[in-house]
Amino acid sequence: MKLQYLGHSAFRIVSEKGISIVIDPFLDRNPLATLKSDQLSAEYIVLTHAHGDHVGDTLSLAKKGNTTIIGVGELMSMFAEKGYKTHSLQIGGAFRFDFGRLKLVPALHGSLTHDGRYAGLAAGVVLSIDGKNIYHCGDTGIFGDMKLIGEMQPIDLLLIPIGGNYTMDADDALWAVKLVQPKLAIPMHYNTFPLIKADPHEFVGRLSKQGFNGKVMEIGEELSF
Ligand code: NI
Ligand code: MN
């Protein structure tokens, strides 16, 4: 399996079978993103919530009929109305797709569309692909059940926000890593806007002092697992 960081909270996962899954594709309107929606293809797009920096360029990346958009039902109904293929879940629900299992887990955050429509609950995602468990936290503050999420499915890769203001900051993310106990933590959701300025290298340094593995992924960088 390959994991590529696309900037902000956007990641692309390519399974061993070659199935491509893009999470929160904020690409064309993110000046820091090096890969734009017309340079990528995705069999699946996973959306954690309705905010513009997560739904991002779903409409240009998704190909009607070929791409399945996955997320909570209220948000998915907006894409289904436009003729896109969707798969609706709710928090705590999981489904076995051809790439592996995907489960929605809680996130403490809002989820209103840019035009003010209620889009259901914000979510985190646990993906089980090629024998690895990846927990993408979405946008969230810290919460105690992160410990339960890590106990129910031992997490290989934790993709965790550190930017503060809208989500947990690096101090809280350090606590969250202690709760989840992942094999590797990768910071996200920082430095895209002035309000979410954070030093990911300092965060990873603090992690390692506490015995945890962290890695700063450069935008565009790809890792194999
Ligand atoms: Ni948000
Ligand atoms: Mn966000």
Side-chain angles (χ1 to χ4, degrees), residues 4-11 24 26-27 30 32-33 189 192 219-220:
Q4 185 176 31
Y5 185 42
L6 305 175
H8 201 56
S9 294
F11 288 86
D24 287 352
F26 179 50
L27 308 168
N30 177 6
L32 302 179
H189 211 271
T192 322
I219 296 175

Side-chain angles (χ1 to χ4, degrees), residues 48-51 72-76 78 90 111-113 116-122:
T48 60
H49 64 292
H51 291 158
V72 297
E74 294 87 343
L75 178 56
M76 290 307 101
M78 295 173 209
Q90 287 294 349
S111 187
L112 204 67
T113 64
R117 222 171 121 175
Y118 170 69
L121 293 173

Side-chain angles (χ1 to χ4, degrees), residues 149-163:
I149 293 167
E151 284 173 358
M152 289 173 77
Q153 285 174 274
I155 301 300
D156 295 285
L157 277 172
L158 176 68
L159 313 177
I160 186 164
I162 64 161

Side-chain angles (χ1 to χ4, degrees), residues 195-217:
L195 273 172
I196 59 169
K197 215 167 152 35
D199 183 342
H201 295 281
E202 191 199 338
F203 171 68
V204 163
R206 289 170 71 194
L207 278 182
S208 81
K209 269 187 210 140
Q210 303 215 16
F212 294 101
N213 287 320
K215 177 167 174 57
V216 178
M217 284 184 80

Side-chain angles (χ1 to χ4, degrees), residues 35-200:
L35 277 166
K36 302 302 176 185
S37 62
D38 61 358
Q39 295 169 283
L40 289 166
S41 65
E43 274 89 67
Y44 295 92
I45 297 173
V46 181
L47 299 179
T48 60
H49 64 292
H51 291 158
D53 57 320
H54 297 262
V55 165
D57 304 291
T58 295
L59 288 180
S60 38
L61 179 60
K63 298 283 172 286
K64 280 186 185 167
N66 292 326
T67 306
T68 303
I69 307 168
I70 304 170
V72 297
E74 294 87 343
L75 178 56
M76 290 307 101
S77 68
M78 295 173 209
F79 292 99
E81 280 165 16
K82 292 187 169 80
Y84 290 90
K85 202 154 79 171
T86 60
H87 186 109
S88 296
L89 297 159
Q90 287 294 349
I91 306 283
F95 185 77
R96 199 167 285 284
F97 295 88
D98 57 357
F99 60 80
R101 185 174 183 265
L102 181 148
K103 183 179 188 181
L104 290 188
V105 296
L108 294 180
H109 197 68
S111 187
L112 204 67
T113 64
H114 64 93
D115 50 1
R117 222 171 121 175
Y118 170 69
L121 293 173
V125 191
V126 179
L127 298 125
S128 306
I129 301 178
D130 301 332
K132 305 273 186 206
N133 295 321
I134 304 167
Y135 175 15
H136 185 296
C137 299
D139 276 1
T140 188
I142 189 172
F143 54 97
D145 282 348
M146 289 182 135
K147 184 170 193 292
L148 181 63
I149 293 167
E151 284 173 358
M152 289 173 77
Q153 285 174 274
I155 301 300
D156 295 285
L157 277 172
L158 176 68
L159 313 177
I160 186 164
I162 64 161
N165 196 74
Y166 305 108
T167 68
M168 57 181 121
D169 60 11
D171 291 346
D172 285 10
L174 206 61
W175 278 92
V177 170
K178 282 186 224 166
L179 292 177
V180 177
Q181 301 272 326
K183 291 213 181 88
L184 180 67
I186 293 167
M188 64 176 184
H189 211 271
Y190 59 86
N191 292 353
T192 322
F193 323 113
L195 273 172
I196 59 169
K197 215 167 152 35
D199 183 342

